[in-house]
């Protein structure tokens, strides 16, 4: 099934409005533990239920994947991917860096994205071939070309099973970046990381993960704003990629090389610790 993603943007924006109203109007409520230092609030579930119900009525032919409750039905190559509250820990602690992330995935490629930051009052939208907008105004990625002048956001450190092992490359990457870039930032929200690359607020984002609900919307928003979005080895990014690197195009080669150096350092550290 193929569709012009631009035709679905009004529906996706309506879904984001439904979600944002819930986030603005409700307290986090009961917190459900999902694993070691991982949680969901009542609002996460309320948003996912409301958006799932709305999209199942408006686009019954399209599948739906939500972070909290998984796939409700599989579409014919098309699927909505939702993170109902991206940055749940921030939301729970009253930090305004959280939002709704809704992407449309066509096979393995995101073609539409809406990220709404309800507490900050910003909505980012993009559809393949239509550019990226923030509150209706066109935005572009920064023109940064030197790591020494770049602000780079990192995804969260790992929690849960095998967190220590999974964090070795993250710690090594932090070490390498600290010696090379102007500043490192960790906002605690993949949606914000990718949207702010698109908006030129930061120059690059590195996440050593790639969950569709985290990245589908942000990847197309960044890409349509002129960012290069690649996998950990520099190959084109898709929903089956191992990592998500989005940056001003002139930074990508240096970042991929730096990540490779960090991974080598992490492996050496692991061998010497044995």
């Amino acid at each position: 099934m193929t569709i012009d993603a631009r035709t679905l943007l009004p529906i996706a924006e309506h879904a984001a409005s439904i979600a944002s109203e819930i986030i603005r109007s409700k307290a986090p409520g009961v917190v459900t533990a999902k694993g070691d230092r991982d949680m969901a609030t009542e609002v996460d579930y309320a948003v996912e239920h409301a958006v799932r119900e709305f999209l199942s009525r408006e686009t019954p032919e399209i599948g739906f994947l939500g972070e909290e409750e998984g796939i409700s039905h599989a579409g014919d190559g098309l699927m909505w991917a939702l993170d109902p509250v991206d940055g749940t820990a921030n939301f729970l602690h009253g930090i305004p860096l959280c939002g709704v992330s809704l992407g449309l995935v066509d096979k393995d490629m995101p073609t539409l994205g809406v990220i709404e930051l309800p507490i900050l009052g910003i909505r980012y939208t993009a559809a393949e071939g239509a550019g990226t907008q923030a509150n209706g105004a066109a935005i572009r990625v920064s023109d940064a070309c030197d790591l020494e002048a770049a602000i780079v956001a990192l995804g969260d450190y790992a929690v849960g099973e095998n967190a220590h092992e999974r964090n070795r490359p993250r710690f090594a990457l932090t070490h390498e970046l600290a010696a090379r870039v102007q500043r490192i930032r960790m906002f605690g929200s993949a949606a914000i990381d990718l949207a702010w690359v698109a908006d030129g607020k930061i120059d690059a984002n590195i996440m050593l993960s790639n969950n569709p609900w985290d990245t589908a919307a942000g990847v197309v928003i960044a890409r349509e704003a002129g960012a290069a979005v690649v996998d950990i080895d520099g190959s084109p990014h898709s929903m089956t990629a191992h990592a998500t690197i989005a940056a001003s195009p002139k930074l990508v080669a240096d970042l991929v090389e730096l990540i490779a150096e960090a991974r080598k350092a992490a492996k050496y550290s692991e061998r010497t610790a044995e």
Side-chain angles (χ1 to χ4, degrees), residues 53-205:
E53 181 181 349
F54 170 74
L55 291 175
S56 68
R57 291 198 311 268
E58 296 295 319
T59 58
E61 71 283 6
I62 298 176
F64 184 92
L65 169 65
E67 178 183 13
E68 307 308 337
E69 297 185 341
I71 295 175
S72 58
H73 68 285
D76 185 14
L78 285 175
M79 182 168 291
W80 296 107
L82 173 73
D83 191 334
V85 182
D86 189 56
T88 295
N90 288 348
F91 175 63
L92 187 59
H93 287 269
I95 300 171
L97 302 182
C98 57
V100 182
S101 181
L102 177 64
L104 180 68
V105 179
D106 188 348
K107 300 180 176 64
D108 287 329
M109 296 298 295
T111 58
L112 174 155
V114 177
I115 290 173
E116 179 130 1
L117 312 179
I119 303 172
L120 299 180
I122 307 172
R123 175 181 291 178
Y124 294 96
T125 59
E128 192 172 52
T132 298
Q133 293 77 40
N135 288 348
I139 58 173
R140 291 291 295 176
V141 69
S142 84
D143 60 358
C145 57
D146 296 316
L147 287 180
E148 291 76 10
I151 293 181
V152 179
L154 283 178
D156 280 341
Y157 294 127
V159 297
E161 187 176 358
N162 298 321
H164 180 71
E165 289 77 9
R166 290 188 291 133
N167 276 326
R168 286 186 190 276
R170 290 168 169 83
F171 295 153
L173 177 59
T174 302
H175 178 80
E176 294 288 338
L177 286 170
R180 296 282 304 278
V181 305
Q182 187 181 83
R183 293 291 187 276
I184 299 171
R185 295 290 181 260
M186 188 177 283
F187 299 117
S189 164
I192 287 177
D193 291 344
L194 290 163
W196 283 1
V197 168
D199 208 359
K201 297 182 185 299
I202 58 175
D203 304 298
N205 164 234

Side-chain angles (χ1 to χ4, degrees), residues 219-245:
V219 163
V220 68
I221 285 169
R223 188 176 281 149
E224 286 293 315
V229 187
V230 299
D231 198 353
I232 197 165
D233 59 356
S235 61
H237 187 276
S238 72
M239 290 294 95
T240 59
H242 297 288
T244 306
I245 296 99

